Amino acid sequence: MTLFFRSHRRPITHVTSTVMGMTTSASVPARPEGAITDDTVTDRLVEANERYAAAFSDPGMDARPVLHVAVVACMDARLDLHAALGLELGDCHTIRNAGGVVTDDVIRSLTISQRKLGTRSVVLIHHTGCGLEAITEDFRTELEMEVGQRPAWAVEAFRDVDQDVRQSMQRVRTSPFLLHTDDVRGFVFDVKTGLLREIDPA
């Protein structure tokens, strides 16, 4: 099964047929080798924003996504979601966290997205080589030993990415707070090829 998005600005985009390129930190201009600087990464981001703002013009959009879709995905730096899904500014809500897991806070964001900002569809995206596959819930114990307080949140580590996508779909579909749970689809993004693989919820 393939995933299609329709935008008011362009024809239907078939997002699983093309390998998309991804940007990395290597695309940020580097300082000359050996240069002495007190600048932080944040300073570089602020400088980039100043250049961006100099050419910025108000696109005249409101907060309601054009495509009425919310995308929940991992925070992994290798995922360039707008490029990978053929999305443009204003098309969707994007909710990201470690693993792209549907937690209580994700349900909070989706509830606001649907009830106040008009979204209806939910797309869940995990990916290959996720960092959550390399840790366990013991991470919470390690933190407790280090700082003297046990985190209230779960790590949500997993070993089977397909099964974790299914679990996330189930959490969305059974939430009493969400208005629209009929169009909830889950995928695994391959960080080597850029392709989405749809997960059967069964």
Side-chain angles (χ1 to χ4, degrees):
M1 189 176 295
T2 54
L3 176 65
F4 293 87
F5 287 136
R6 185 181 296 277
S7 169
H8 66 307
R9 292 180 295 274
R10 58 188 181 281
I12 293 174
T13 301
H14 184 185
V15 299
T16 58
S17 64
T18 305
V19 176
M20 306 300 298
M22 293 184 289
T23 59
T24 68
S25 57
S27 63
V28 179
R31 302 293 185 186
E33 186 174 352
I36 299 175
T37 177
D38 292 329
D39 289 353
T40 66
V41 170
T42 304
D43 290 327
R44 293 175 65 183
L45 299 181
V46 171
E47 291 171 7
N49 172 255
E50 291 171 352
R51 294 189 294 272
Y52 170 78
F56 183 81
S57 59
D58 182 359
M61 301 174 179
D62 64 21
R64 300 170 72 88
V66 171
L67 299 183
H68 309 292
V69 62
V71 179
V72 180
C74 185
M75 66 184 187
D76 193 290
R78 294 170 291 181
L79 274 65
D80 185 348
L81 289 176
H82 274 66
L85 299 177
L87 295 167
E88 295 180 7
L89 185 68
D91 279 349
C92 74
H93 280 158
T94 305
I95 305 163
R96 300 184 72 160
N97 66 16
V101 179
V102 174
T103 60
D104 285 346
D105 195 60
V106 168
I107 294 295
R108 164 187 167 270
S109 294
L110 287 174
T111 301
I112 294 169
S113 177
Q114 290 193 355
R115 290 180 175 269
K116 297 300 182 182
L117 295 165
T119 61
R120 298 185 61 89
S121 300
V122 180
V123 175
L124 307 173
I125 300 178
H126 285 27
H127 67 93
T128 58
C130 185
L132 284 189
E133 296 179 78
I135 61 176
T136 69
E137 293 296 324
D138 290 341
F139 181 57
R140 297 172 71 227
T141 302
E142 294 167 6
L143 286 173
E144 181 181 19
M145 296 296 292
E146 179 180 336
V147 306
Q149 180 176 337
R150 189 172 183 82
W153 38 263
V155 176
E156 298 279 1
F158 56 85
R159 292 291 176 270
D160 184 333
V161 66
D162 289 21
Q163 183 56 32
D164 205 67
V165 172
R166 292 188 187 98
Q167 176 176 273
S168 289
M169 284 191 280
Q170 182 67 9
R171 287 178 177 177
V172 171
R173 287 174 171 155
T174 58
S175 172
F177 305 112
L178 299 177
L179 291 173
H180 308 292
T181 58
D182 56 321
D183 187 15
V184 179
R185 294 168 66 180
F187 301 83
V188 174
F189 178 85
D190 190 319
V191 299
K192 300 296 186 184
T193 68
L195 290 172
L196 291 175
R197 175 172 57 84
E198 184 153 14
I199 302 302
D200 187 336

